[in-house]
Amino acid sequence: MIATLGTTFLRRRFLAADVVRLLTLVSVPVATVGWGATSFAVMSLALFGVVLPRMLGLRPVFDVAVCVLVLVAGWSSALEWYTSVFLWDKLIHIVLTGLLAALLAVVAADLRLVPHAPDAGRVSVAVLVFCAGLAIGSVWEMGEWLGHEFVDSRIYVGYDDTIGDLAADGLGGLLVGFALPWLAKDREVVRPPRR
């Protein structure tokens, strides 16, 4: 798997998600200049989030969905939509975390830690992605708390928010988990040439 990441990323095929990747790259300096260091950190994380799907050779619809949602999530932080738009935070937690949990399941399957989604039962895959969603959500919530305590006290944290976000993360993982066997099919992985 590791050997194919670079060659798959560098394949010559242009994808619609590559436009979103370019927009994310441009967003890093724009968000930094306009909204400061916290936005730089968030957009840098978003940049990683849009590069990984291309490295994995994901199905184009999966690739575009992850990239668009990662970019929207990054700008939602910079523009403070999570605290100003009703239920926006929960919606992003459901959809984006579900997709990221599915992405994590693809990586785990490539590393042979779990069976590939098309080979495992649909319920087993959904439970796996549900757990991955909770894991991603837990790490994210710890990051929010650390950011609130040590970076910017305007980062919103609270018990009700954290529990609600984790519930949304699990729900997103479960829902996307049922779709993962379809999403994980037809990947375009490029093997490096043999020497």
Side-chain angles (χ1 to χ4, degrees), residues 48-92:
F48 173 72
V50 299
V51 167
L52 186 59
R54 182 170 173 94
M55 294 172 80
L56 294 172
L58 295 180
R59 175 178 258 206
V61 69
F62 192 4
D63 188 5
V64 167
V66 170
C67 290
V68 167
L69 282 160
V70 164
L71 181 59
V72 166
W75 277 109
S76 295
S77 176
L79 299 173
E80 299 182 4
W81 289 354
Y82 294 124
T83 54
S84 64
V85 177
F86 182 66
L87 292 179
W88 187 252
D89 182 42
K90 299 304 178 255
L91 176 66
I92 295 296

Side-chain angles (χ1 to χ4, degrees), residues 104-179:
L104 183 60
V106 168
V107 171
D110 283 355
L111 293 171
R112 295 191 172 103
L113 300 173
V114 299
H116 282 275
D119 302 332
R122 192 171 292 273
V123 173
S124 299
V125 171
V127 169
L128 171 72
V129 180
F130 166 77
C131 293
L134 289 177
I136 290 169
S138 298
V139 170
W140 185 261
E141 294 302 318
M142 286 184 254
E144 274 188 356
W145 178 81
L146 287 168
H148 173 79
E149 292 294 316
F150 301 108
V151 178
D152 187 348
S153 62
R154 292 177 299 162
I155 297 173
Y156 182 73
V157 294
Y159 182 79
D160 290 342
D161 177 65
T162 297
I163 296 301
D165 288 352
L166 289 172
D169 296 332
L171 176 62
L174 186 65
L175 295 174
V176 175
F178 281 109

Side-chain angles (χ1 to χ4, degrees), residues 8-30:
T8 301
F9 179 80
L10 294 173
R11 69 191 183 274
R12 293 180 187 214
R13 185 168 172 227
F14 177 78
L15 303 167
D18 292 334
V19 174
V20 183
R21 280 184 261 279
L22 181 60
L23 289 172
T24 306
L25 179 63
V26 170
S27 293
V28 174
V30 170

